[in-house]
Amino acid sequence: MGELSGPELVAVVQRLAAAPERWAHLVRHDPQQRVYEELRRDADLAIWLICWMDDHDTGFHDHDLSSGAVAVVGGAVAEDRLLLGAPPVTREFAAGEAFHFSAADIHRVRHTGAAPAVTIHAYSPPLWRMGSYEILPGGELRRHALSYAEELRPLEGDEVLRPFGG
Ligand SMILES: [Fe+2]
């Protein structure tokens, strides 16, 4: 199959969004943290189901070498793109909508709206390393390299870095 492009990844997540029998039994919301379920991981593609509520927020991050796409199948999420010297550009996506991003993009995805959200994410090549961005009080941006597995651990206290998600 090889690496998939952003639009090809959108097609993958939209196909899965239309097949709830593949993931509906995995939907579970936890007020403390996003809930992740891996639906597939092979040489070319990783697919996750993620459940969001209560303003869960990934923080700004990149996906190292991977492009990705997200389909919203319940509720809504917002994607922020980081700008220098200006507020982030925000787009909101509700159930039935999808978006994609390249490996070069830095973004943040957060839950929005009153209802819990459910999203399906596809990454190609499969997500392995990530960068998580910390904004220091003076505005300096600092990148922290992470393993994709690190985002699965529970958050500790009011941790600043909340990688991954979109
Ligand atoms: Fe992301």
Side-chain angles (χ1 to χ4, degrees), residues 61-64 127-132 143-149 151 163-165:
H61 62 276
D62 66 45
H63 313 84
D64 198 17
L127 200 56
W128 188 249
R129 301 291 307 180
M130 303 180 54
S132 179
R143 183 185 192 270
H144 301 268
L146 295 174
S147 155
Y148 86 98
E151 58 83 9
F164 181 81

Side-chain angles (χ1 to χ4, degrees), residues 48-64:
W48 295 82
L49 177 83
I50 304 184
C51 302
W52 315 65
M53 63 183 296
D54 289 356
D55 298 327
H56 289 165
D57 184 345
T58 64
F60 285 105
H61 62 276
D62 66 45
H63 313 84
D64 198 17

